[in-house]
Amino acid sequence: MAIIEFPKDMKWGAATAAYQIEGAAFEGGRGLSIWDTFSHTPGNVVNGDNGDVACDSYHRYEEDIELMKELGIDTYRFSVSWPRIFPEGTGEVNQEGVQYYHNFIDSLLSNGIEPMCTLYHWDLPQALQDKGGWENRETVEAFADYAAFMFKEFSGKIKNWLTINEPWCVSFLSNFIGVHAPGYQDLQLATTISHHLMLAHGKAVSRFRESGVEGGIGYAPNTEWNEPFSDKQEDIDASNRATGWFIEWFFDPIFKGSYPEFMLEWFKQKGVTLKIEEGDMETINQKIDFLGINYYTGSVARYKKDHELFDVEKVDIGYEKTDIGWNIYPEGFYKVLCKIKDQYGDVPIYITENGACYNDGVEDGRVKDTRRIQYLKQHLTSLQRSIESGVNIKGYLTWSLLDNFEWAEGYDKRFGLIHIDFHTLKRTKKDSYYWYKQTVNNGWFDMK
Ligand code: JJW
């Protein structure tokens, strides 16, 4: 027996995002987003999958909320589809979209589940992309206006807000590596966008403070850990750059008001310039009420000249992997959290995503996803250690409540506690659902 116990006041939850679960892509007055365009372009998504129907949660949210209620979670993290609220990105409000989120949120609240709302989880209105998307500073203003509208409209119902989910994915994965929408491969573009996302976050925080609305606001960067392959300084520096691309690059501007020198120099070497206008850093460098941390994986990294962006090579030393090919590295979760506390201080943290891809199917009405339970146990053990080391953890939200549209990987990659049959849309509780239910209810589990 080895009991891993959590503070009584820690919030437990699960997370999803609009484009990954809602479906109803062409209903309710919704405008198009870059993910409609991207997923409908052949070659971008495995099997040609798209989010047209997804889990159909737009129509089935009552059933989803019943499942959440039985699960016993305190908090549900969801995202709002910007083009459901502003089909053109700015201007005319789509009242049908606003009403949909009122109905949904009211239902959460009447079931005793606290909503945590992400404003930007990747579905940029296509109308704004047509004018340059996140490269255009007008998109930053449009985001701030959309955010301000949401704060006022849902004041009193939503207490915790997240501005941008995974800015690394929105900038570099989507505009340099090119595997997510809009799918460009341009380092200068991606870096400019990373700055504009920070700015969009900062402007939304300003608007939140101006609104006087009660509650808290933060953002949800994705983190990963890179362990140096050896004690050689070049390996240590290389792994610091690999991690710095996720952590320092997206945390320093907010917490310190500047970009990290060691990363700036590297970008300069690659011919990239950062166009910072007067006042930008002040806008970005504002107090946030909490951090959302997404963590899935870590690697071992070493120096390799002219390899990838930062002269760094990931070394496969044989860690077990989940079904999406990501290393299982729970120690990295602990290290990321301690690094954040060391470098940025005692900020309250919600784990806004952590979970595993395992594609187990339904057999005789049951999904035996033992490996997901094991992954969750390992990562929750790291989390508990971080709490004992003084990291200010307020909550843990697993990714994901439901199997859903896993972006460029389509429906083949399953992260849910609940299995979805994407033909019939039938929901089946996995073994991990029952395990999580017990853990949430007890506030502890037995590691064994
Ligand atoms: C990196 C692939 C080449 C989501 C990546 C691909 C190619 C070097 C999961 N988090 O569905 C990261 N997710 O919507 C948000 N996070 O590189 C939520 N990060 O690399 C989940 C995908 C991801 C990635 C996927």
Side-chain angles (χ1 to χ4, degrees), residues 146-160:
Y146 153 61
F149 174 84
M150 294 296 294
F151 300 146
K152 185 159 174 281
E153 182 70 34
F154 294 94
S155 162
K157 292 187 180 181
I158 296 175
K159 298 273 162 51
N160 287 320

Side-chain angles (χ1 to χ4, degrees), residues 347-378:
V347 52
I349 294 175
Y350 284 89
I351 306 307
T352 36
E353 288 181 29
N354 172 249
C357 173
Y358 287 113
N359 301 325
D360 307 282
V362 184
E363 282 171 60
D364 301 325
R366 192 171 156 194
V367 183
K368 297 180 184 169
D369 59 337
T370 324
R371 295 174 299 170
R372 177 170 290 103
I373 297 172
Q374 185 62 15
Y375 178 101
L376 294 175
K377 281 182 174 180
Q378 291 171 325

